[in-house]
Every structure is written in structure tokens, then in C-alpha cells.
Amino acid sequence: MPKKRKARKVSADDQPVDLLQLKWLTVAQTSRRYPGFTEKALRHLIAQAEAYAKYPKAGLRSNGLAACIVRPAGARKIIVNAESFEAWLSASAVFCQPTS
């Protein structure tokens, strides 16, 4: 008699998550919550913000996104604070409504 396979465990990543309830978002989740920004565009804006914070240039303004992002120590992952990001959107006069 063949062995019966074990049932697959359901991880927390497999559960559907309401993106409007989360305070901290990954770049992929941010692009899904705000469809006006692709992942690539968000990563470009983040790279520009970090480059400006590291090497400020006289007379040039930062895009201000550096206040919205967090990089955990020792990780490549980028975390976006949803509240700060929404404040940045309203201050930047960029109009993009979150989707559910």
C-alpha cells in the first residue's frame, strides 16, 4: 500500500492580506496598493532618494521619499511605511488612490 502524502501546511504568506490594513509594505505590496506606481518605478524613486541622502547636491531638491522607507539591518529588503508614503503622495501632489 503506497504511503499517503502529508497535507501541505498553509503558511502566513499564502493567506490573502488586505493591503489597506497594513502599516508596513514591501515594494511589491506598495505597487499593488497604489497601481499608479510599478515596482520598477518605486525602486527607481527609492534609489534616487537614497543617493541624494548619501550625496546631497547643492541647489537640487530631494524627492523626499527617504523618510518613507526603512531598510532592516543586514537585509536587502525595503520596507515602506504606508502612512508616510500617503503623506508623501499628498505633499507631492501626485494623485493615486489605493485599491482594495
Side-chain angles (χ1 to χ4, degrees), residues 39-99:
E39 279 187 59
K40 208 170 191 179
L42 283 171
R43 291 186 191 283
H44 178 72
L45 288 170
I46 290 168
Q48 283 182 326
E50 288 180 338
Y52 183 84
K54 197 171 190 178
Y55 303 107
K57 296 178 181 150
L60 293 178
R61 288 183 26 198
S62 169
N63 64 8
L65 192 61
C68 304
I69 57 175
V70 175
R71 283 188 183 261
R76 292 182 58 197
K77 184 176 240 177
I78 300 169
I79 308 292
V80 179
N81 185 335
E83 295 169 358
S84 299
F85 188 75
E86 287 181 12
W88 177 77
L89 284 176
S90 63
S92 302
V94 177
F95 300 105
C96 180
Q97 294 295 324
T99 60

Side-chain angles (χ1 to χ4, degrees), residues 2-22:
K3 283 188 170 183
K4 189 175 180 181
R5 288 187 180 184
K6 291 183 180 180
R8 181 174 173 234
K9 292 182 181 178
V10 178
S11 69
D13 294 338
D14 293 342
Q15 300 294 330
V17 178
D18 184 19
L19 293 177
L20 296 176
Q21 302 299 322
L22 295 176

